[in-house]
Amino acid sequence: MPKIIGATIGEHREKTRQALFDALSSLLREQSFESITMAQISRRAGVGRTAVYNHFEDKESLLLSLMSSTTEQFTAVLTEALQVVDDPLQQLRIYIRAQLELKQHYHLAEGVNLRRLTTAQPAEKLREHAHVVEHILHHLLAGAQRAEQITVPPSPTVIALIHTCLAGQAMPKRRPDREKIMLDVEAFILRGLGASEEAVETVDPRVSELRFVFGDEEETESDSDGEGDEESFATYLRCPVNIGA
C-alpha cells in the first residue's frame, strides 16, 4: 500500500506532483534533459516508479506540466503585483522586475529546446500559456503609449525584443546588487521604448519596495541584508514557455 503524503487523496496527488516537479527541476540543473530518466526522477522525488507513471506517462509530459504550472504561478504573482500602482510606466517596471526576480524560482536548464522535445499538440498548449504573459505585456505597452509615456507602439517584435533583453540577465543574490541591475535594465528598455529621461529616472517607492515570492517561500535574511553568497544564479524565465514560433 503506497504511503499517503497528504491529508486527502487530492492533497496527496498534488504533493506528489510537486515532488516530481522539484525533482525534475533539480536534475535539470545537473544534466541535460535527454540524459534524465524516469527512474532518476522517481528516486530524487522519493516517489515509487509505479506512482510516477500514475501521474505522467513520460518525462516529456512531466516537463510540459512543470512548464505550464510555472507559467500559471508567474502570471498569478505578476497580476497581483500590477495592482500596486495605476501608472502604466510604473507597471512596466513591475513587469520587468517580476521577470528578473522570479527567474530564480524557475529551473529549466539553458539550452533545453522544447520545440524539439515536444509534439505539436502539447507545444500548442504551451504557446497558449506563453500568450497569456505576452498579452499582459502588450496591454501594459498599449496603456503607456496611450498615456504618451512611450512612443513605440506594442507589436510582436517589440515584445520579443523586451523578452530577449530579459532572457539572459544574471541576477546576483545580494539585494543591493539586484536592485542596481534592475534599474539598469529598466532604464535600457524604457529608453528604447521612447520614455523621457525624467520618467526613466523616476521609480515609484511602491515599486522599488515590492518583493516577489512564490507560494510559501520566504525571502532569506542573506537576500535582504546583503550579506549572502556572491554567487549569481542564471535567469531564464522571461516566460517559462520559450519554444519558438
Side-chain angles (χ1 to χ4, degrees), residues 68-101:
S68 295
S69 175
T70 303
T71 307
E72 290 169 0
Q73 291 180 36
F74 174 79
T75 303
V77 174
L78 173 60
T79 300
E80 182 178 355
L82 289 172
Q83 307 308 309
V84 171
V85 293
D86 295 326
D87 181 86
L89 207 64
Q90 297 299 324
Q91 288 181 328
L92 274 174
R93 289 185 184 273
I94 289 175
Y95 184 92
I96 293 167
R97 287 169 179 255
Q99 292 283 11
L100 294 174
E101 282 279 26

Side-chain angles (χ1 to χ4, degrees), residues 34 42 56 94 111 123 126 129 152 180 194 199 210 212 241:
E34 290 87 347
S42 171
F56 302 102
I94 289 175
L126 283 177
H129 285 277
V152 177
K180 173 64 167 57
L210 272 176
F212 298 95
V241 182

Side-chain angles (χ1 to χ4, degrees), residues 200-220:
V200 168
E201 298 297 327
T202 303
V203 183
D204 190 308
R206 292 172 295 177
V207 174
S208 60
E209 292 168 6
L210 272 176
R211 298 294 179 263
F212 298 95
V213 179
F214 256 141
D216 296 327
E217 293 182 11
E218 296 293 339
E219 182 182 40
T220 64

Side-chain angles (χ1 to χ4, degrees), residues 1-12:
M1 182 74 178
K3 181 180 178 181
I4 301 297
I5 58 175
T8 65
I9 295 298
E11 184 179 345
H12 168 75

